[in-house]
Amino acid sequence: MIKRTLFPFFGKTNFSLPFSTTSKLNIFDRELKRNQRDRAAWLMPQNDPLLHTVADNLLDRLQDCKKIFPSALCLGGSLQAITRSLRGRDSIEKLIVMDASYDMVQRCKNDYHESINNNMETMFLVGDEEFLPIKESSVDLVISCLGLHWTNDLPGAMIQSMLALKPDGLFLAAILGGETLRELRIACTVAQMEREGGISPRVSPLAQVRDAGNLLTRAGFNLPGVDVDEYTVKYGSALELIEHLRAMGETNALSQMNLMLKRDTALATAAIYDSMFASEDGTVPATFQVIYMTGWKEHPSQQKAKRRGSATVSFKDIQTQFGNQTL
């Protein structure tokens, strides 16, 4: 079920950076997230319906552009789904595939060599989204599908993406929104209150829809666009949902959390989830809210708002002339 709401490249091919951040507040443990993605690289199914749907919907925005993008940078997240969807798109000649996880990059590289449709020159790079090892103004397109929501400094990561773009380059991103896994949040909170007498964060904080436009503007993008999809995925049980999150590399990576959830609390969470949200067919739903963002790097050819005060007709005159007319 889908609910939609509208609102020279680099110097070295094996570039590694310390997994720290300039952000004063480290919400996420980047080393832990890298390990989770190392594991997910070999657990992720070849054709995950959710990941491929999000990737296809993100790349559909390219079809609305008359402009071609000879060079593209693909950052973290659903790399396999994005790279598969990009194959066959003649508008992209060179592709850089980058992830903080070596295993994830290696899995994408293996898929590339096994594919019979290798029509793009593709380079593979290990690097951190928070410290992009990409020269300024070197790529025409930056794509991030379900990866940037794990950065400690999301505005900073988006600014670096903007700097990597050539003038009139396009930034395409999909991140998980704040309504994601709302059923699991409720069940886990109730279980912790019952079994432990208090709560600790077990589901990572995520950006709200209202913040997305501000993030694009703050990063310096022109013509920002934001829209939202909500996907409802049905599972056989809450434990099956957890296994899917682990296979996607989307399990909790908060810096300040108890790594181990008590066994009785975990079992209580699953039982509460089933009792509160189970459907008549015995499946349990999980909501994934995806926020899609688009923005362009500044270029003289782009549309611009008129200078304030330059209007030649006032709204008062319009109201006087047309206000008394009825349709």
Side-chain angles (χ1 to χ4, degrees):
M1 181 189 305
I2 301 176
K3 177 183 177 183
R4 171 162 289 181
T5 307
L6 291 180
F7 296 84
F9 283 103
F10 46 84
K12 298 180 180 179
T13 55
N14 292 317
F15 196 104
S16 61
L17 289 162
F19 287 84
S20 61
T21 176
T22 56
S23 175
K24 294 181 179 179
L25 180 62
N26 289 339
I27 300 173
F28 302 113
D29 185 335
R30 296 287 292 170
E31 183 70 22
L32 174 60
K33 178 50 59 180
R34 183 182 65 169
N35 293 336
Q36 290 174 352
R37 288 188 61 75
D38 281 342
R39 177 183 61 193
W42 311 110
L43 293 176
M44 192 177 294
Q46 193 76 4
N47 293 293
D48 187 290
L50 175 62
L51 298 183
H52 279 270
T53 298
V54 174
D56 288 341
N57 287 346
L58 181 63
L59 293 179
D60 280 348
R61 286 148 177 81
L62 291 177
Q63 297 180 2
D64 300 329
C65 302
K66 295 181 180 179
K67 178 182 172 65
I68 62 172
F69 304 95
S71 57
L73 168 65
C74 187
L75 297 175
S78 305
L79 282 180
Q80 293 170 277
I82 284 288
T83 51
R84 289 195 190 103
S85 297
L86 281 174
R87 290 171 193 153
R89 295 178 184 262
D90 297 331
S91 61
I92 298 177
E93 300 172 358
K94 296 181 180 180
L95 176 66
I96 306 170
V97 177
M98 194 194 91
D99 198 284
S101 162
Y102 173 84
D103 285 12
M104 190 65 73
V105 172
Q106 189 61 44
R107 172 76 183 271
C108 292
K109 194 172 183 179
N110 293 346
D111 288 351
Y112 171 80
H113 290 307
E114 293 171 3
S115 172
I116 60 175
N117 186 20
N118 295 332
N119 61 332
M120 287 183 294
E121 178 185 344
T122 305
M123 293 170 254
F124 300 90
L125 176 67
V126 177
D128 194 337
E129 298 97 326
E130 295 187 347
F131 300 93
L132 279 186
I134 306 295
K135 289 184 178 180
E136 290 188 20
S137 302
S138 60
V139 295
D140 301 286
L141 173 67
V142 173
I143 305 170
S144 176
C145 184
L146 301 180
L148 286 178
H149 53 268
W150 290 113
T151 57
N152 285 303
D153 183 10
L154 180 54
M158 292 173 64
I159 289 172
Q160 291 185 63
S161 296
M162 186 273 295
L163 293 175
L165 285 169
K166 296 176 182 178
D168 204 30
L170 176 62
F171 172 76
L172 283 179
I175 61 174
L176 292 178
E179 292 299 309
T180 296
L181 299 178
R182 55 176 172 247
E183 300 89 353
L184 181 60
R185 295 174 193 269
I186 294 171
C188 194
T189 299
V190 174
Q192 284 188 306
M193 289 296 294
E194 287 183 354
R195 301 300 171 123
E196 301 176 18
I199 60 174
S200 60
R202 304 304 310 182
V203 181
S204 301
L206 297 166
Q208 300 297 321
V209 177
R210 62 180 178 271
D211 301 325
N214 293 333
L215 286 169
L216 287 165
T217 303
R218 181 177 173 185
F221 289 107
N222 285 355
L223 308 175
V226 176
D227 60 282
V228 183
D229 280 353
E230 280 193 6
Y231 305 88
T232 301
V233 182
K234 292 187 176 182
Y235 298 91
S237 67
L239 297 179
E240 187 178 316
L241 163 62
I242 300 302
E243 289 302 313
H244 187 209
L245 294 176
R246 184 174 290 113
M248 293 191 296
E250 292 293 335
T251 46
N252 198 352
L254 287 171
S255 295
Q256 303 296 327
M257 74 167 184
N258 297 322
L259 292 179
M260 296 298 297
L261 183 65
K262 294 181 180 178
R263 177 180 173 81
D264 59 339
T265 304
L267 294 175
T269 298
I272 292 169
Y273 199 121
D274 291 343
S275 65
M276 292 183 68
F277 301 107
S279 304
E280 293 182 358
D281 60 0
T283 61
V284 294
T287 299
F288 293 87
Q289 183 188 57
V290 180
I291 303 173
Y292 296 95
M293 298 185 289
T294 61
W296 295 82
K297 189 167 183 178
E298 186 176 6
H299 189 268
S301 65
Q302 294 170 357
Q303 297 177 354
K304 294 182 177 62
K306 291 291 186 180
R307 181 176 53 84
R308 191 170 184 178
S310 62
T312 57
V313 179
S314 70
F315 281 107
K316 184 176 180 180
D317 293 339
I318 295 175
Q319 185 177 15
T320 301
Q321 184 173 358
F322 300 102
N324 296 327
Q325 297 183 11
T326 57
L327 298 177

